[in-house]
Amino acid sequence: MQNTEDRIRASFVAQGLMTTIGAKLDRVADGEVQISMPFSKSLSQQQGFVHAGAITSIVDSACGYAALTKAPAGFEVVTAEFKVNLLRPAIGTRFVAIGKVQNAGKLLTVCTGEVRAFKDNDESFKVVAIMQATFVNVSA
């Protein structure tokens, strides 16, 4: 798993979007990845909530990297499709996206994800978005 984790960490830091939105790779495990993002006014929409685009970006990446933990050697993954349900306004001081593999096949991997909103140092959270996504294994 260490080689996979190193590969995912190297890939993550190469993503300009994740750097731009201040996202961090928190956890890499077999079939599961967690990405966090702090609240930033620059990521808000007109009502002051975090924009759905930022929320979708971190959960898509968390699911994609979870899929990559199951990809065969010499392969990368790309998103083929996803569905996001925005459950409530993204209000919080930090957000954590958790991507989990539900089924990994030869070509396709199906993942689910959720984004949790936390306030200050409180460990209680509210789920603000859920995702189901399909990823395709492609030659690296």
Side-chain angles (χ1 to χ4, degrees), residues 3 29 37 45 56 58 70 79 83 92 96 103 109 111 128:
N3 289 340
M37 178 184 71
Q45 45 83 288
T56 300
I58 62 172
K70 297 293 194 179
T79 306
K83 163 109 171 73
V96 176
N103 187 68
T109 301
C111 297
V128 297

Side-chain angles (χ1 to χ4, degrees), residues 4-5 13 18 20 28 34 38 43 60 67 69-70 73 78 95 101-102 104 108 110-111 126 130 138-139:
T4 301
E5 182 172 347
V13 298
M18 293 295 108
T20 299
V28 176
Q34 295 184 13
L43 300 176
D60 174 47
T69 70
K70 297 293 194 179
V78 294
F95 301 86
V101 172
Q102 298 302 317
L108 300 176
V110 176
C111 297
K126 291 193 177 190
I130 56 175
V138 295
S139 292

Side-chain angles (χ1 to χ4, degrees), residues 55-96:
I55 294 299
T56 300
S57 293
I58 62 172
V59 72
D60 174 47
S61 287
C63 287
Y65 284 124
L68 189 56
T69 70
K70 297 293 194 179
F75 283 82
E76 294 282 337
V77 299
V78 294
T79 306
E81 63 83 32
F82 62 71
K83 163 109 171 73
V84 175
N85 292 95
L86 303 167
L87 305 176
R88 60 182 45 87
I91 300 170
T93 55
R94 69 183 172 96
F95 301 86
V96 176

